[in-house]
């Protein structure tokens, strides 16, 4: 998605991508036709400035180095709404002496 909210391309997921074998498609069904026919781009263009500003405000207010904000789109009554906020931060926020220890513990657990 470009800074204007314009979509550069929309990729359809193949069934075997990421080993999902269509699990998401089986659970939720295929992408709605209105998205594939270009209906998502006008929504993003209309609301992109708001989405970007609110997402940046969350990051700054919480002092996060990186955050992912997922949005619900398409409701004509409520407009764009936050679905989920996920901190995607790094060990950079930890004191330097703890960074290696925390990184090793993280990788050992995964």
């Amino acid at each position: 998605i470009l800074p204007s909210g314009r979509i550069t391309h929309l990729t359809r997921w193949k069934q075997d991508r990421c080993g999902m074998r269509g699990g998401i498609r089986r659970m939720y069904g295929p992408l709605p036709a209105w998205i594939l026919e270009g209906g998502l781009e006008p929504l993003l263009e209309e609301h992109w400035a708001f989405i970007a500003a609110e997402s940046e405000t969350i990051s700054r207010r919480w002092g996060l180095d990186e955050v992912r904000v997922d949005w619900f789109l398409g409701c004509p009554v409520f407009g764009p709404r936050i679905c989920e906020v996920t901190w995607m931060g790094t060990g950079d926020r930890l004191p330097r002496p703890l960074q290696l220890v925390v990184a090793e513990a993280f990788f050992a657990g995964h």
Side-chain angles (χ1 to χ4, degrees):
I1 299 175
L2 299 175
S4 65
R6 189 170 157 260
I7 299 173
T8 58
H9 67 280
L10 183 63
T11 305
R12 289 185 178 183
W13 287 87
K14 294 182 179 177
Q15 275 191 314
D16 60 347
R17 182 163 291 184
C18 299
M20 290 186 286
R21 306 228 183 267
I24 290 175
R25 186 177 310 197
R26 277 194 303 276
M27 184 177 288
Y28 300 107
L31 285 174
W34 68 271
I35 290 176
L36 298 174
E37 294 165 359
L40 182 60
E41 190 167 17
L43 277 174
L44 287 173
E45 287 177 344
E46 178 183 354
H47 299 291
W48 190 252
F50 172 78
I51 291 169
E54 290 297 308
S55 299
E56 288 174 10
T57 298
I58 289 168
S59 177
R60 288 192 178 116
R61 182 172 293 153
W62 293 349
L64 302 175
D65 51 344
E66 185 177 349
V67 66
R68 187 186 83 212
V69 182
D70 296 341
W71 291 83
F72 288 120
L73 297 174
C75 178
V77 175
F78 298 112
R81 298 174 324 277
I82 293 175
C83 167
E84 179 179 8
V85 178
T86 306
W87 176 46
M88 306 293 286
T90 63
D92 189 48
R93 295 178 51 84
L94 297 171
R96 192 166 289 279
L98 291 177
Q99 289 179 3
L100 181 60
V101 175
V102 170
E104 288 173 343
F106 175 82
F107 287 118
H110 291 85

